[in-house]
Structure formats: C-alpha cells, structure tokens
Amino acid sequence: MSAIISTGEPILDSLARPLRDLRISVTDRCNFRCVYCMPREVFGPGYAFVPRDDLLTLEEIARIAGVFAAIGMRKVRITGGEPLIRRNLEHLIEMIDAIDGVEDISLTTNGSMLSPGRATDLKKSGLKRLTVSLDALDDATFKRINDVDYPVSRVLDGIENARAAGFSDIKVNAVVRRGFNQHAVLDLAKHFRHTGCIVRFIEYMDVGETNGWNLDDVIPASDLVDEIDARYELEAVSPNYPGEVAKRWRYRDGAGEIGFITSVTQSFCGDCSRARLSAVGELYTCLFATRGHDLRDLLRSGASDTQLLQAVCEIWQGRNDRYSELRANGASIPVSGQAKVEMSHIGG
Ligand code: SAM
Ligand code: SF4
Ligand code: SF4
C-alpha cells in the first residue's frame, strides 16, 4: 500500500468547515422496520437491498478511514441500517482504532443484538462509546414504531449488557414525533435519571423520501425542554466542543444530563464537520444529500492512497451543503425530481 501523504493542515470546505467526523454505514439492512426510517410498505418483501459483493469489505472501509484521518478526521461513528448485523464488525473497529489520529470510535445501534458476549467483544475491540436508540418505554408504542413486535425489555437488557461490559455514559436516542410518542418523553427522562445514561431527544427529520415527513409532526426541542423542566428542573450546559450535535442540559438536582438534537428548529450547519460513507462506498457530504461520490470504483480500480486522498480533498473542498439552514430560511430544496437518500442507506 502506498503511504498517505498528509499536509498536516485540516482540509476546509467552501464554507471553511473542517472534516472532523466520519459516519460509516456498514450495512443498509436492519431487523427493525421503524416507521419513520424503513417503512414496511417500502422496505418490505421485494425491496432490493445491496448485494453482498457491492458492500465495501471491512478492509476497504478501514483504508478509506485511514485516508480521512490523514486530512483531519478524528471521530468515527459506525452505523447503518443496523450495524451489529455486519459480521466481524469488531475486526473493523480494531483496524480503525489502530489508525493514527483517530481519537474516538462510537456506534449507534437499536440494541437488539447487544448480548453480554457481543457487548464484551465490542468493548475489547476498542469501541469507546455506544448509543442505543429507544423511542418509548411502553411496548404498545415501541412496537408500533419498530413494526416487528420487538419489546422494550430486550433493548433495556442490551443497555444493561453494555454497561456490564464496561461502557459508561451510554447515550439513548429517542426520535420524538407528534401523535406517536410524545408521552414517552417524560417516561424516558424519568427512567434514565441517576443511571449515567444520557437521553437525547431528536427532532423528527425529513431525511429520505419514504417516511411521509410533515413539519406538523415535529415537536420543537424547546417545547420538550419546557416540559421536562416543569417536572425536573434543568440548567443548560456548555458544549463539549464546537459543532457538538446535541444541545446539553442537566438536572439541577444532580440526576444527570440530557440532550436535544434540534436539526429542524435550530439548524447547526455552520459547524457541521461530518462526512458520511455509505455501505457501498459513496461519500455523502450532507445527511440530506441527493447523491454521493463513488469511492468504491476508485478503490477497486487500483487507486493509490494518495489518489484517494486527492479525491476526498477535492470533494470536501467543493462542499457547500447547509440543507437545514436553507430549510429553516424557507428554501425549497432539493429541486424537485431529485430524491434525497434514505437514512438506512447513509447512516444516521
Ligand atoms: N439502526 C441503528 C439505530 O436505530 O440506532 C442505527 C441506524 S439509525 C438510521 C440511526 C439513528 O437515526 C437512530 O437513532 C434513529 O432513531 C435515527 N433516525 C432514523 N430516521 C430518523 C428521522 N427521520 N428523524 C430523526 N432521526 C431518525
Ligand atoms: Fe433500523 Fe435504526 Fe432505521 Fe430503526 S432507525 S429501521 S433500527 S436503521
Ligand atoms: Fe450538516 Fe447537512 Fe445536517 Fe447541515 S443539514 S448539519 S450540512 S448534515
């Protein structure tokens, strides 16, 4: 393999944003059919998932991560689809952990495959942090959302297994959608107080084209802050670093921290340092993109690391995405006829 030549300088996009984070989708498949992400009417029998040979191999993914690290990427999040479906994922984590410059590796999962053994293997592989998605604490609501009859108790077991394996500060992601699970907000806040888990409430987003998103379904995070504050007093906490996705709050009584991801009502494009790599090796420079840049062909046609690095630099330097900001300003994007890519394809 050729040596990667790094200038040592962070690469900036056309809006002067560095590339710090890489989200890697390792599969487009999932064992859930969350109604807001992979609705059964679209992702049911007959849906054409990516054939195995089209997926990047774990070694190809690690090689691309190495190229990104050479131009300033410091944090990797592994996601999907459901990332724990991917075999030997722990080997990928080990390879990424060994890359110079990578400071943090995290994984987002629906928690259904976090057995005690798997959680221990993930910890041993070098995974630093875990986020588990859980949108409600009552089975009726959770099953209506996951649409595969999956019970809450098994996700809670997964969280416990992760904790027992040594993961601390586990994050719990809850997408809040009006008329669906708004009652779950206080349940989740209460359940995870004093546990060290940080619940992060996410505004329902218009990702992809299949979930029938409507602005009326979005509950502004500021309303949720008011609701929780009325029950358990909150105070704002300053961000850990510029560009942190979640706005942080803590309980005044010392019961812990919670967060809010305000992608719709308070966009944070100005600090967005995230790139996304799909399971087939396309590079997306925005969650709401309509097209990716194919790195797999380049990789499989024998490109050197330097050529890969040049390609990634050119893509990042040409980046001008700020979808949420434009949406907030009332712009209608993308132009009609161009479909936004699905979340399960590029990873959340
Ligand atoms: N399957 C894993 C999981 O559910 O955690 C990882 C992939 S999933 C696409 C990543 C995150 O995206 C999850 O927390 C999920 O709730 C969130 N998500 C999916 N569709 C969303 C939407 N339309 N708006 C906001 N968040 C969404
Ligand atoms: Fe699967 Fe995660 Fe999407 Fe739910 S949110 S369908 S668990 S990828
Ligand atoms: Fe980043 Fe695109 Fe989201 Fe803005 S809309 S924060 S550019 S991913």
Side-chain angles (χ1 to χ4, degrees), residues 17 267-270 272-274 276 285-288 319 321-325:
R17 298 169 296 187
S267 56
F268 35 78
C269 300
C272 181
S273 54
R274 287 176 293 284
R276 290 179 158 83
T285 54
C286 179
L287 181 55
F288 299 91
R319 174 189 192 236
D321 304 275
R322 50 190 189 102
Y323 178 92
S324 294
E325 214 170 271

Side-chain angles (χ1 to χ4, degrees), residues 36-37 79-83 108-110 133 173 175 202-205 207 211 343 348:
Y36 54 73
C37 178
T79 176
E82 174 45 46
T108 305
T109 171
N110 62 26
S133 301
N173 270 3
V175 177
I202 306 175
E203 288 177 347
Y204 175 43
M205 290 185 274
V207 193
N211 63 12
M343 179 86 108

Side-chain angles (χ1 to χ4, degrees), residues 126-141:
L127 186 69
K128 307 278 183 294
R129 296 183 302 117
L130 256 182
T131 298
V132 179
S133 301
L134 180 60
D135 298 331
L137 282 176
D138 64 290
D139 269 340
T141 309

Side-chain angles (χ1 to χ4, degrees), residues 9-21:
E9 294 295 313
I11 301 295
L12 301 181
D13 72 6
S14 70
L15 300 173
R17 298 169 296 187
L19 198 176
R20 289 280 179 223
D21 308 65

